[in-house]
Amino acid sequence: MAKEGGEQAEETEQMIEKEPAEGGGCSGRARAEDAKEMRAVVLCAFGGLNKLRVAKKAMPEPQEGELKIRVKACGLNFIDLMVRQGNIDNPPKTPLVPGFECSGIVEALGENVKGYEIGDRVMAFVNYNAWAEVVCTPLEFVYKIPDDMSFSEAAAFPMNFVTAYMMLFEVANLREGMSVLVHSVGGGVGQAVAQLCSTVPDVTVFGTASSFKHEAIKDSVTHLFDRNSDYVQEVKKISADGVDIVLDCLCGENTGKGLGLLKPLGTYILYGSSNMVTGETKSFFSFAKSWWQVEKVNPIKLYEENKVMAGFSLLNLLFKQGRSGLINNVMDKLITLYNEKKIKPRVDSLWALEEVKEAMQRIHDRGNIGKLILDVEKTPTPLMANDSTETSEAGEEEEDHEGDNENKERIPFIQQ
């Protein structure tokens, strides 16, 4: 067991000390910079929250066509929970640095990079490795930040708004007078969908969310239902013939319900499967149950009912299918809408890198309204007990003793 722990420690490198240095700085970060190293969140192995740790890693340098970015903020998404569990197709090998989007300042340019200068404020997609002090990513995935957009807003912008825009306008062809049903409307994508729908005249938005979020988000949608209610019947009371667009990030039994709610020529889009994530670690039972609940779609029935069934994955579109040019055009349109003050990222809370475990738990509990952000420069809130993201010297999981959770809670910096 000691050998196993030694190998794991070698793979993930040394743990960063979490006590702040004098003057409010981070002693780990200062030493990392001096030695051309950086702090990063490392996923040691697929599994629970205790597989995450903050470690020192070699600082990357830009290759040809890449920009080196000094990261200020990183976005957290539900897909990051699925990655942590290994609950995705063809997951990469561990150890790895998670994260797919960030914002920061250009620190260096690789060869043949044009249009950017050192010091530019940017936001970017990253094919993993975003949760770190420094990232390198190809030019095609980088975008300049509007002057009045904060780094935390910029880290909350690319994934959520591009996903929402692509589904509404590129896949479903949203137009004036149409109706949309969106699940988890209190989350980052859900709020982006609601804002983009408001840019089109006379669009009716039906949303589902946990009841405790209703007061905070009630003005962003036309009709709001509890996520545990019989929303199908509630929608039909208002619109007997259903809706034009269904955006489903849940999967499972909601697939059949969504298809059943579609009007003729309506579009159902699956863009997530959060119902498959029911616990801290991957559960074959939850996966099987969710898959079993998916209604088996008969193409003849789709043909007879004039309905469209689609799927959307932004990460696959970017990193596997090479459609960055299309995404660049969408980002231009979104930045224009932001500058016109028609859309604005909704940031739920800011967390230090060392608080990634608590941030992920907040997403898992569906406690966020808008986007959670890792603030690279934020000092972590001290814990009453040892941080359970650490592992023992033997590399085994620390026990989370019953009753300890109250002592281990951190209070995030909540955006107003």
Side-chain angles (χ1 to χ4, degrees):
M1 184 62 70
K3 180 180 179 181
E4 180 183 346
E7 290 175 350
Q8 187 178 61
E10 181 178 353
E11 287 178 339
T12 59
E13 307 178 351
Q14 299 176 359
M15 285 293 298
I16 291 292
E17 293 179 10
K18 297 180 181 178
E19 292 295 327
E22 292 182 5
C26 176
S27 59
R29 187 180 69 185
R31 289 196 303 275
E33 290 175 351
D34 292 342
K36 297 298 182 182
E37 291 182 322
M38 64 176 184
R39 291 156 60 234
V41 176
V42 175
L43 179 65
C44 307
F46 298 119
L49 292 167
N50 50 14
K51 301 301 183 183
L52 294 163
R53 60 178 67 186
V54 177
K56 285 191 289 185
K57 292 186 66 68
M59 187 178 298
E61 295 299 331
Q63 304 299 308
E64 182 177 1
E66 291 186 341
L67 291 86
K68 179 180 179 181
I69 302 170
R70 174 65 60 173
V71 176
K72 296 292 185 179
C74 321
L76 276 78
N77 300 282
F78 202 91
I79 185 65
D80 296 315
L81 274 70
M82 300 182 72
V83 168
R84 192 200 75 222
Q85 295 184 359
N87 201 5
I88 58 173
D89 287 336
N90 300 315
K93 294 181 180 179
T94 57
L96 62 87
V97 176
F100 298 102
E101 62 183 337
C102 65
S103 64
I105 298 174
V106 175
E107 194 167 83
L109 303 174
E111 293 184 11
N112 299 319
V113 172
K114 298 179 181 179
Y116 290 87
E117 298 179 355
I118 294 174
D120 282 347
R121 300 168 69 249
V122 296
M123 50 188 162
F125 292 108
V126 188
N127 193 9
Y128 291 95
N129 298 307
W131 295 355
E133 289 184 310
V134 175
V135 302
C136 292
T137 194
L139 170 67
E140 60 191 305
F141 303 136
V142 182
Y143 317 91
K144 290 183 180 179
I145 299 175
D147 291 340
D148 58 348
M149 181 184 284
S150 68
F151 284 116
S152 58
E153 287 180 331
F157 194 80
M159 285 277 287
N160 289 352
F161 276 93
V162 171
T163 296
Y165 187 97
M166 291 291 294
M167 291 192 298
L168 289 172
F169 298 106
E170 298 291 336
V171 181
N173 193 23
L174 178 66
R175 301 182 303 281
E176 181 177 354
M178 295 179 74
S179 55
V180 180
L181 169 65
V182 55
H183 293 295
S184 300
V185 72
V189 174
Q191 285 293 287
V193 166
Q195 290 184 31
L196 288 171
C197 285
S198 70
T199 67
V200 180
D202 195 28
V203 170
T204 301
V205 180
F206 298 90
T208 69
S210 300
S211 58
F212 72 90
K213 299 182 182 181
H214 286 199
E215 183 62 30
I217 65 175
K218 63 182 181 181
D219 294 334
S220 65
V221 297
T222 316
H223 304 285
L224 186 58
F225 311 119
D226 185 88
R227 64 185 301 267
N228 296 315
S229 68
D230 185 357
Y231 63 85
V232 172
Q233 294 305 315
E234 294 297 325
V235 170
K236 288 186 174 180
K237 287 179 183 178
I238 300 167
S239 177
D241 54 351
V243 298
D244 296 293
I245 301 170
V246 173
L247 305 179
D248 181 11
C249 60
L250 304 177
C251 197
E253 63 180 349
N254 293 282
T255 300
K257 292 180 179 179
L259 284 170
L261 274 173
L262 283 182
K263 296 178 181 179
L265 302 182
T267 303
Y268 163 93
I269 305 174
L270 179 70
Y271 70 101
S273 53
S274 62
N275 277 342
M276 294 183 182
V277 180
T278 57
E280 187 178 333
T281 58
K282 182 178 179 179
S283 168
F284 176 78
F285 174 78
S286 297
F287 178 87
K289 178 182 178 182
S290 186
W291 177 251
W292 182 257
Q293 290 175 329
V294 175
E295 181 175 304
K296 305 307 180 284
V297 179
N298 184 342
I300 299 299
K301 187 175 181 181
L302 292 176
Y303 149 72
E304 291 175 344
E305 296 181 352
N306 282 301
K307 294 181 178 180
V308 177
M309 187 175 188
F312 182 77
S313 167
L314 176 57
L315 296 178
N316 284 344
L317 199 66
L318 278 170
F319 301 126
K320 292 183 179 181
Q321 296 159 353
R323 297 301 181 93
S324 59
L326 173 61
I327 303 305
N328 287 339
N329 292 334
V330 170
M331 282 292 289
D332 288 342
K333 295 175 183 177
L334 289 169
I335 289 173
T336 297
L337 289 173
Y338 176 86
N339 288 331
E340 294 173 349
K341 302 188 183 306
K342 294 181 179 179
I343 60 173
K344 182 180 177 64
R346 184 161 188 168
V347 175
D348 173 82
S349 49
L350 306 181
W351 304 76
L353 290 182
E354 291 81 4
E355 297 169 332
V356 63
K357 182 199 72 171
E358 290 85 356
M360 272 198 163
Q361 187 64 52
R362 184 171 174 85
I363 296 179
H364 183 275
D365 295 339
R366 293 171 171 80
N368 57 300
I369 299 176
K371 190 67 162 275
L372 276 77
I373 298 295
L374 291 180
D375 184 339
V376 175
E377 297 179 342
K378 182 179 182 295
T379 301
T381 304
L383 290 174
M384 296 291 292
N386 290 333
D387 190 337
S388 59
T389 60
E390 297 182 10
T391 61
S392 66
E393 293 182 358
E396 296 178 343
E397 299 178 5
E398 295 285 0
E399 294 184 10
D400 191 7
H401 296 290
E402 185 176 356
D404 283 354
N405 287 338
E406 292 184 3
N407 290 333
K408 294 181 180 179
E409 287 185 357
R410 286 191 174 107
I411 304 300
F413 177 75
I414 304 294
Q415 291 286 98
Q416 300 298 322

